[in-house]
Amino acid sequence: MMTIQQRYLELIKSAILNELYPELEAQLLYTVLCAAHQQPVQLDLFWQARTDASLRDAVARAKQYGETIHLRLAPGHVRRDQPDLRNYTEYAHSMVGRRRLDHLQHCVEQILSEGIPGDLLEAGVWRGGCCLLMRAVLAAHDIHDRVVWAADSFAGVPTSSHAMDLAYPLDASVLPVLSVDQATVTDIMRRYGLLDEQIRLLPGWFEQSLPDAGIGQLALLRIDADLYSSTNAVLQALYDKLQPGGWVIIDDYGILPPCRQAVDAFRQQHSISIPLQKIDDHAVAWRKAAP
Ligand SMILES: C[S@@+](CC[C@H](N)C(=O)[O-])C[C@H]1O[C@@H](n2cnc3c(N)ncnc32)[C@H](O)[C@@H]1O
């Protein structure tokens, strides 16, 4: 039987991914698609959308793996696998999906049960969902001597002039959805009742904010920063602080070549040969070995 702590954490993950109200997501999906096709919303179809299996399935599948939903409005209903896009994350507090949230919880609980020393840090927090889950795990296990660091520009991805990043312009002028200001993130954390002294926000570009932030030992380093330059800046500033047995999680390794190249280059420079564990098509992780 699940403990009350496990039930709490399941509920937190459902809230982060907005899994609790699939009917509303299906209706929103229908409405957005009508707007995209400049078609009027029909009230009967709007209400039918609540129980439309194809809509609900599309939303649920996307939330498993943090994927984009591809849909088209067909006469009278909506179908999958067609050209129009709607990002499933519009109504979620993390874009990482269930698989990666479950894995993150597993890593933090393993760190606690094995006594790996140090704080938990995410670089690239967006709306803050992963930091919220880590803070919730600390709360569920009654841990008061570790903090969660949440590092972000709170202004989106930088414009990078690094050669590896040139083909991937992701800054706020191109992808405004990636730019979430600090007040919005703290407001979300407050709604969960989890904004307290065990969450430390670190605003600024990683290159400037991380080296002198006063971060001590780390037990978990979650990097979700898309670019070569951003991923490399985090690894250079923080990998040495990660304790043996600590986890490194790289969110974009499977889908963003600049991120993968930064990780591969860093691992090669530092002779890190510990195999990468695949979490899903996006993310990988490894545990730092004892020296
Ligand atoms: C894909 S989002 C992170 C998603 C998030 N981890 C989640 O759970 O949904 C990438 C984030 O990295 C941040 N970012 C990327 N490069 C950065 C840099 N060099 N300095 C500061 N923030 C950066 C962006 O502002 C953005 O919030």
Side-chain angles (χ1 to χ4, degrees):
M1 210 170 75
M2 283 173 103
T3 63
I4 192 73
Q5 285 86 354
Q6 288 165 329
R7 284 173 193 261
Y8 167 68
L9 292 172
E10 288 305 309
L11 197 55
I12 288 284
K13 285 182 285 184
S14 295
I16 289 169
L17 297 178
N18 200 27
E19 291 172 334
L20 299 173
Y21 305 101
E23 307 83 3
L24 291 182
E25 287 243 14
Q27 284 179 307
L28 283 164
L29 196 43
Y30 167 74
T31 310
V32 168
L33 289 164
C34 286
H37 288 263
Q38 297 178 328
Q39 291 190 17
V41 172
Q42 295 177 43
L43 257 191
D44 55 339
L45 294 180
F46 177 78
W47 290 112
Q48 278 172 32
R50 288 177 75 83
T51 50
D52 182 312
S54 69
L55 280 177
R56 297 264 299 260
D57 283 358
V59 171
R61 253 194 312 272
K63 283 175 187 294
Q64 269 294 313
Y65 302 106
E67 287 167 352
T68 304
I69 300 172
H70 298 253
L71 288 166
R72 186 179 68 170
L73 190 66
H77 68 291
V78 178
R79 290 201 293 117
R80 207 167 170 270
D81 300 325
Q82 297 295 332
D84 293 320
L85 299 186
R86 172 191 166 272
N87 192 326
Y88 85 102
T89 58
E90 280 159 41
Y91 311 106
H93 292 148
S94 169
M95 54 177 76
V96 308
R98 226 331 139 145
R99 210 32 108 74
R100 278 170 271 163
L101 284 188
D102 286 343
H103 177 262
L104 180 59
Q105 177 185 344
H106 159 77
C107 292
V108 179
E109 290 184 327
Q110 187 175 53
I111 284 162
L112 299 181
S113 69
E114 294 183 10
I116 309 296
D119 292 334
L120 317 169
L121 185 145
E122 183 175 49
V125 310
W126 193 57
R127 291 181 184 150
C130 288
C131 293
L132 278 166
L133 176 60
M134 291 194 282
R135 177 66 192 91
V137 176
L138 296 183
H141 293 273
D142 211 15
I143 303 294
H144 301 281
D145 58 353
R146 299 182 194 247
V147 302
V148 176
W149 295 89
D152 204 288
S153 65
F154 301 108
V157 177
T159 308
S160 169
S161 55
H162 195 288
M164 302 288 191
D165 293 330
L166 289 180
Y168 294 84
L170 301 173
D171 61 85
S173 68
V174 182
L175 271 183
V177 70
L178 290 181
S179 174
V180 184
D181 63 57
Q182 189 170 337
T184 302
V185 175
T186 52
D187 179 50
I188 290 169
M189 290 174 168
R190 196 173 293 116
R191 287 184 225 165
Y192 285 74
L194 288 170
L195 182 66
D196 62 11
E197 66 290 344
Q198 278 181 265
I199 288 203
R200 303 222 180 125
L201 272 72
L202 266 182
W205 302 118
F206 299 144
E207 293 80 349
Q208 282 103 49
S209 68
L210 296 178
D212 301 320
I215 300 163
Q217 294 181 328
L218 290 175
L220 185 142
L221 176 57
R222 185 171 204 287
I223 306 178
D224 195 349
D226 301 351
L227 296 180
Y228 186 103
S229 52
S230 301
T231 306
N232 181 53
V234 182
L235 287 168
Q236 299 291 351
L238 300 179
Y239 192 75
D240 279 351
K241 296 180 186 290
L242 192 72
Q243 299 305 296
W247 278 98
V248 193
I249 301 169
I250 311 284
D251 190 86
D252 306 304
Y253 188 88
I255 54 150
L256 280 170
C259 164
R260 184 163 59 246
Q261 285 154 353
V263 172
D264 290 348
F266 184 87
R267 281 168 54 93
Q268 199 173 13
Q269 282 156 18
H270 292 79
S271 306
I272 302 167
S273 55
I274 307 155
L276 295 173
Q277 298 179 20
K278 183 175 168 178
I279 304 164
D280 61 14
D281 286 346
H282 290 236
V284 298
W286 76 92
R287 283 189 92 178
K288 194 172 189 174

